[in-house]
Amino acid sequence: MKTESTKRLYPRLRILPPAHACKVLVTTLTGRTAPIEPAASTQQINNIRRSTVQTITTKEGISFLENGAIDGRRVIFIHGTPGSATGWADYLIKVPAGRLHMALDRPGYGESGPREAVVSLKLQAQAVTRLIPAAHRRSTILVGHSLGAAVAVQTALDCPD
């Protein structure tokens, strides 16, 4: 349901009625742009937990930042091109209770391998799915900016559960 504040901030956001509900809702938010750099200080960014998970498809480690409740509902932030996980730092500093916020360095960006950018949306989506254990798939939220939005959609298509 749209709240009054949501209506003010995102007047073009459509909420589908339950009869038309689907597992994945993709919408475009217009009139807003992502910050070029986070407002978080370098010290705050350095205090965010950084981990790496291996992928079979790229044979490289995917680096990601995470903060919040390990068993909480996952929200995964996917950066655009160029970019890195640190671009989402402001969303990783103060995480609401019961949530786990994660931001990955897409394959070929930030601290993730390989050294060159991976252009395949399918391979990038497979990197995202490595951050979603089967137990969390139904409740994970994907947030993408720019090309990260296309990666989020590809992830949802490849992993509809």
Side-chain angles (χ1 to χ4, degrees):
M1 177 180 288
K2 265 190 185 180
T3 63
E4 286 305 311
S5 61
T6 304
K7 288 178 186 175
R8 257 185 289 109
L9 290 173
Y10 307 109
R12 294 186 184 151
L13 177 64
R14 280 190 22 185
I15 304 298
L16 298 177
H20 296 92
C22 56
K23 291 182 183 179
V24 179
L25 175 63
V26 179
T27 186
T28 304
L29 302 178
T30 58
R32 302 276 184 242
T33 58
I36 295 172
E37 292 184 21
S41 70
T42 302
Q43 181 63 37
Q44 288 174 308
I45 294 170
N46 290 339
N47 287 336
I48 301 170
R49 205 170 39 240
R50 183 173 283 278
S51 301
T52 303
V53 63
Q54 292 303 121
T55 66
I56 297 168
T57 54
T58 62
K59 297 183 176 134
E60 302 285 346
I62 298 301
S63 180
F64 63 95
L65 298 170
E66 64 180 340
N67 194 18
I70 295 296
D71 60 346
R73 184 171 190 186
R74 290 170 187 246
V75 179
I76 300 176
F77 297 92
I78 308 166
H79 67 81
T81 303
S84 71
T86 58
W88 295 102
D90 294 340
Y91 298 92
L92 300 170
I93 304 269
K94 292 183 182 177
V95 178
R99 302 279 178 159
L100 175 63
H101 284 190
M102 307 171 82
L104 77 150
D105 286 329
R106 289 182 17 232
Y109 293 91
E111 295 185 23
S112 290
R115 293 178 58 88
E116 305 81 31
V118 173
V119 296
S120 165
L121 284 180
K122 206 115 171 106
L123 291 178
Q124 294 212 22
Q126 288 172 359
V128 174
T129 59
R130 293 287 293 141
L131 301 179
I132 312 171
H136 290 90
R137 288 205 173 142
R138 289 204 183 275
S139 63
T140 297
I141 298 169
L142 302 176
V143 179
H145 173 258
S146 190
L147 187 59
V151 174
V153 170
Q154 185 67 54
T155 304
L157 290 171
D158 292 348
C159 185
D161 60 333

